[in-house]
């Protein structure tokens, strides 16, 4: 007799002779289905709301990550930051609104970021304007670059990518 392969949870549930017991559980915490760039962007940005963040980062169930010792973030004269999560080791000289900035990111003077996710060791040059941008690790955005995505279609920059003014004209 040939055994039937079980490929997914749905296969287990649909199998008639399965020796399994099924139960349901209530979960009141943070849940996100990340199956597209848009859903990733919306889910990450929702963490800027304190109530959402508290549902994910529970005091009695901490999330442990690899330690990366960086100095505290430097907020230079003229910088403006509101509704943002900023990792350690950053230098902020520009304006950051409703954004998530990972560790060791440099945001130069005159740069304006709104609704952005900038991952570690990236650099945003002087006088850049970024709206709805997801920049992976070690992205370099040259001075004066303007990138404007939307909530439905954020602009995604790949790991290590360099963006110049010529690239976006």
């Amino acid at each position: 007799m040939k055994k039937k392969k079980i490929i997914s949870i749905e296969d287990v549930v649909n199998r008639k002779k399965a020796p399994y017991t099924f139960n349901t559980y209530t979960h009141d915490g943070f849940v996100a289905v990340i199956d597209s760039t848009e859903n990733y962007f919306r889910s990450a940005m929702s963490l800027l709301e304190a109530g959402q963040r508290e549902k994910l980062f529970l005091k009695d169930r901490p999330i442990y990550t690899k330690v990366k010792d960086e100095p505290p973030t430097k907020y230079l004269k003229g910088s403006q930051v509101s509704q943002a999560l900023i990792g350690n080791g950053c230098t902020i000289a520009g304006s950051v609104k409703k954004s998530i900035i990972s560790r060791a990111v440099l945001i130069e003077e005159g740069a304006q970021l709104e609704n952005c996710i900038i991952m570690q060791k990236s650099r945003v040059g002087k006088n850049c304007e970024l709206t709805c941008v997801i920049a992976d690790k070690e992205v370099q955005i040259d001075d004066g670059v303007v990138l404007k995505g939307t909530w439905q279609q954020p602009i995604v920059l790949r790991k290590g990518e360099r963006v110049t003014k010529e690239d976006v004209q």
Side-chain angles (χ1 to χ4, degrees), residues 106-156:
L106 171 61
I107 298 174
E108 303 243 17
E109 185 178 348
Q112 298 176 25
L113 284 71
E114 187 165 357
N115 298 317
C116 293
I117 301 170
I118 310 296
M119 296 185 194
Q120 64 238 26
K121 297 182 182 176
S122 292
R123 176 192 165 271
V124 178
K126 293 179 181 178
N127 303 312
C128 289
E129 288 182 50
L130 307 182
T131 305
C132 296
V133 172
I134 302 170
D136 202 346
K137 301 173 186 178
E138 301 171 358
V139 166
Q140 302 295 314
I141 302 171
D142 285 358
D143 296 349
V145 169
V146 176
L147 298 172
K148 297 195 177 201
T150 65
W151 278 83
Q152 293 75 30
Q153 288 189 309
I155 293 172
V156 179

Side-chain angles (χ1 to χ4, degrees), residues 5-97:
K5 277 188 172 178
I6 295 176
I7 308 289
S8 68
I9 296 294
E10 187 177 6
D11 291 340
V12 172
V13 171
N14 290 331
R15 195 168 179 193
K16 294 184 190 232
K17 295 183 180 180
Y20 305 105
T21 302
F22 298 95
N23 294 300
T24 60
Y25 299 92
T26 301
H27 174 71
D28 295 325
F30 181 84
V31 173
V33 175
I34 300 175
D35 59 357
S36 68
T37 302
E38 178 185 351
N39 284 343
Y40 165 75
F41 184 70
R42 286 182 185 277
S43 298
M45 297 303 283
S46 76
L47 295 176
L48 293 173
E49 301 168 27
Q52 288 293 87
R53 220 171 27 255
E54 289 166 2
K55 289 178 187 175
L56 178 62
F57 299 108
L58 304 173
K59 290 181 181 174
D60 61 331
R61 297 175 82 183
I63 296 173
Y64 294 102
T65 62
K66 193 185 301 184
V67 175
K68 300 284 187 181
D69 288 331
E70 299 277 350
T73 291
K74 292 183 210 172
Y75 298 93
L76 301 181
K77 188 174 183 176
S79 65
Q80 298 177 342
V81 177
S82 64
Q83 285 185 285
L85 294 174
I86 311 272
N88 55 349
C90 294
T91 301
I92 313 286
S95 170
V96 178
K97 294 180 184 175

